[in-house]
Amino acid sequence: MSVFAAAMDRLFTHASMAAPALWISATTSEERPIRIIRRAPDRVTDFGAGRFVSDTTVVDVRVADLPAPRPGDVIVIGADSHVIQGEPLRDRERLIWTLDLRPA
């Protein structure tokens, strides 16, 4: 295990940085508990002469916890359900998935 992988593991197990969630497969209904780091950046989209700001929900998940997320899978965070939209993206080290979510 690299030093970077060990640092990521520490971040995802830290109670102040990461939160528990539940992943549910859209195809098989398999469930798996995961740990996530939640982000909610605003996105600016240009359309013609206008600019639109929209709220987003983005989470990071360890590849070790969730090897193959797919669009349409459900992530339950507390009492809120979210659906993965778009293709999941991995970081350069192939340790972390970045998932773009929308409310279910």
Side-chain angles (χ1 to χ4, degrees):
M1 177 184 292
S2 71
V3 174
F4 188 71
M8 288 296 102
D9 286 343
R10 297 265 314 195
L11 286 174
F12 276 90
T13 56
H14 195 280
S16 297
M17 293 291 295
L22 180 68
W23 166 81
I24 304 171
S25 171
T27 56
T28 64
S29 297
E30 175 188 357
E31 296 182 2
R32 178 181 298 177
I34 58 174
R35 303 259 322 151
I36 61 166
I37 295 177
R38 188 174 183 172
R39 298 181 281 140
D42 287 341
R43 287 218 177 108
V44 177
T45 305
D46 293 326
F47 184 75
R51 294 181 66 178
F52 300 95
V53 177
S54 58
D55 295 334
T56 64
T57 301
V58 178
V59 296
D60 292 331
V61 180
R62 288 184 294 188
V63 171
D65 288 347
L66 191 57
R70 302 270 184 233
D73 290 351
V74 176
I75 305 288
V76 180
I77 306 167
D80 300 325
S81 294
H82 302 276
V83 176
I84 299 173
Q85 64 179 1
E87 288 297 321
L89 302 173
R90 285 185 292 180
D91 69 331
R92 185 179 65 155
E93 302 296 324
R94 303 293 194 232
L95 298 172
I96 307 295
W97 286 110
T98 299
L99 308 175
D100 189 10
L101 307 179
R102 64 174 170 78

